[in-house]
Amino acid sequence: MSDLLAGAYLAKGTIGNVGTPGAPIATFSLVVVPSQNSVSGTVVITQAISGPDGNIVVPVTGKIYATGFGQFTQVVSLQGQYVHAFPPPAIGAFLANFDAHLAIDGSWNGTGGFSYYQNNVENVPVKAIPSLQAELA
């Protein structure tokens, strides 16, 4: 039972064109358990727009696999759902799907994309955020 979380670590980063005005950015914070090929955590999608798509929090789960070759040594898939509210004057909300796919190296840098509600972002950079411990050292 104690081997279930063997090698678990925290991965934090962004998916998207950071610094591009109006571009949607997905910031992830994930617990990765390589021995189980599992990933779970939270993705926050931010965009400089008003309305329901300006700041979205999505609980996600997914899979991570080693490719064994090339520049990108790991592939990651993420899925989740969030409550999407209709903009006023409409009333109501529904569960919208979120999906992401990443091709990354061992440092969580690479390329990927994500989709949510009626938005699809493809072929954008994936960049790791340095951990707080590394910044303090």
Side-chain angles (χ1 to χ4, degrees):
M1 192 74 163
S2 63
D3 293 353
L4 289 178
L5 297 177
Y9 64 93
L10 180 63
K12 296 170 106 179
T14 59
I15 311 165
N17 291 313
V18 176
T20 302
I25 306 297
T27 303
F28 58 86
S29 181
L30 306 169
V31 174
V32 182
V33 185
S35 63
Q36 301 297 314
N37 294 340
S38 72
V39 179
S40 62
T42 303
V43 172
V44 178
I45 303 168
T46 55
Q47 190 172 2
I49 60 171
S50 61
D53 287 340
N55 192 15
I56 301 168
V57 178
V58 186
V60 295
T61 59
K63 295 288 186 182
I64 183 168
Y65 293 104
T67 62
F69 60 91
Q71 175 186 2
F72 302 123
T73 57
Q74 301 176 94
V75 289
V76 179
S77 66
L78 299 172
Q79 300 81 37
Q81 291 185 318
Y82 65 96
V83 176
H84 179 86
F86 293 111
I91 299 172
F94 64 94
L95 282 178
N97 292 324
F98 169 85
D99 292 292
H101 53 278
L102 316 174
I104 55 172
D105 61 18
S107 299
W108 282 75
N109 295 305
T111 188
F114 61 97
S115 63
Y116 62 103
Y117 187 46
Q118 296 177 337
N119 300 286
N120 193 28
V121 179
E122 290 292 336
N123 198 25
V124 293
V126 176
K127 295 193 188 282
I129 296 174
S131 68
L132 183 58
Q133 292 293 343
E135 291 175 10
L136 295 176

